Amino acid sequence: MKPTVLFFDIDGTIWDQHQVIPESTYEAFYKLKENGHHAFLNSGRTRAFIQDEHLKPLAIDGIVAGCGTYIEIDHEIKKNEVMAEELVSQTVALLKKRHMPQVLEGCDYLYLDEEDFEGDPFLDILKDNYGAELTPIKGSEGNRRINKLSVDLVDERIEETLGKLAENFHIILHGAEFMELVPIGHSKATGMEFVADYYGVDMRDTFAFGDSRNDLEMLEAAGCGVVMGNGTKEAKAAGNYTTDHIKEDGIYNALKHFELI
């Protein structure tokens, strides 16, 4: 098969809920590179949120981060769309008024106010894994570069809040737990299109691997959308092919199936 570009979600696709990556996935990525293919991480996480040591050994050509707002190819930043400070401040104020804990996700830092997450184990996870990248929201005005937001869904007037947010954001709901706010005009799919154009590859020849709600656009935009066996029903409906569970060498087996490795 001629060289193509492949895009991989991180959470639930590259690694499991404990951030463990199957050994077969490392092997698959190296074989992809040996065969002349280009492999990219394509994540809802912003660049500051992609720092884990386990990801670094993967043989990748670049990163599409923050749902297409940031793109890095061969360690060079090709795109970094940051939100206007006025929009950031306006959104922070709305969410604070509705008592909705929020994380401002940037290319350099993650911003949150710890008191908003008091008693939430998510805060301890962030502090343990991304302590150096964590910065308070309060007092950061004018000095931050924000790509997107993640927000806990605790507002009793959620429909009213969503209506206001929809004026500026594509809203990705993850059940009743949290949502991602992505500036309108950006998605994992737009990031794919940018990279495919960079390499001169037709989108019909690309592959995308994902497992959940924020992968739908990516799975539908790719020439072949591959869904992990542990993926959601919604993701499986959007994809073209369902591979094995992440813990059963899903990525490796799918790449073998399509004769890419």
Side-chain angles (χ1 to χ4, degrees):
M1 178 178 286
K2 64 181 180 181
T4 189
V5 189
L6 299 96
F7 300 88
F8 299 84
D9 169 55
I10 296 177
D11 298 283
T13 302
I14 292 289
W15 64 27
D16 63 16
Q17 71 271 28
H18 303 296
Q19 298 187 346
V20 174
I21 300 175
E23 286 300 319
S24 64
T25 298
Y26 288 112
E27 182 181 354
F29 271 62
Y30 279 107
K31 287 187 174 182
L32 278 175
K33 201 169 189 68
E34 287 179 354
N35 291 343
H37 302 299
H38 303 288
F40 277 73
L41 299 181
N42 193 355
S43 179
R45 292 168 174 255
T46 57
R47 189 65 180 88
F49 221 159
I50 304 175
Q51 302 290 342
D52 193 274
E53 291 296 318
H54 298 299
L55 293 169
K56 292 181 179 178
L58 288 171
I60 61 173
D61 294 276
I63 298 171
V64 176
C67 289
T69 57
Y70 176 101
I71 297 173
E72 192 176 295
I73 301 175
D74 292 331
H75 305 290
E76 183 178 336
I77 299 172
K78 299 295 185 180
K79 178 180 180 180
N80 187 14
E81 292 289 338
V82 298
M83 294 168 54
E85 179 59 31
E86 181 180 358
L87 177 57
V88 175
S89 297
Q90 171 188 318
T91 306
V92 167
L94 172 63
L95 296 173
K96 289 280 189 182
K97 182 179 180 180
R98 300 295 167 82
H99 305 290
M100 301 178 74
Q102 59 191 290
V103 179
L104 309 184
E105 299 181 40
C107 46
D108 308 302
Y109 299 99
L110 304 173
Y111 298 82
L112 61 82
D113 290 328
E114 291 191 18
E115 61 268 26
D116 293 341
F117 289 87
E118 187 173 353
D120 189 336
F122 177 62
L123 176 60
D124 294 328
I125 294 172
L126 286 178
K127 292 172 74 171
D128 289 343
N129 292 284
Y130 306 98
E133 284 77 37
L134 292 183
T135 302
I137 293 175
K138 294 176 181 176
S140 67
E141 297 85 355
N143 296 309
R144 54 199 178 194
R145 297 193 294 169
I146 307 304
N147 300 105
K148 61 180 281 284
L149 297 84
S150 290
V151 186
D152 278 3
L153 293 173
V154 296
D155 184 12
E156 294 180 356
R157 296 180 295 170
I158 188 62
E159 293 303 326
E160 180 185 342
T161 303
L162 292 179
K164 291 182 178 295
L165 292 170
E167 297 173 8
N168 296 294
F169 297 100
H170 170 46
I171 301 170
I172 304 174
L173 295 171
H174 293 267
E177 299 179 0
F178 77 101
M179 64 180 170
E180 295 178 85
L181 301 180
V182 183
I184 288 175
H186 298 88
S187 69
K188 289 187 175 184
T190 64
M192 290 172 59
E193 291 165 359
F194 184 101
V195 174
D197 183 65
Y198 177 88
Y199 286 111
V201 172
D202 193 297
M203 283 292 290
R204 290 173 295 185
D205 296 324
T206 63
F207 286 77
F209 286 67
D211 73 299
S212 67
R213 176 66 186 85
N214 75 352
D215 296 319
L216 300 185
E217 291 90 348
M218 176 175 77
L219 293 167
E220 292 170 348
C224 183
V226 180
V227 185
M228 305 301 290
N230 48 283
T232 64
K233 291 182 179 179
E234 197 174 16
K236 290 176 181 176
N240 306 103
Y241 178 81
T242 298
T243 186
D244 298 310
H245 193 286
I246 184 174
K247 295 181 180 179
E248 297 172 350
D249 305 320
I251 288 179
Y252 186 95
N253 292 342
L255 295 176
K256 286 287 287 185
H257 171 80
F258 288 108
E259 299 182 347
L260 291 162
I261 61 174

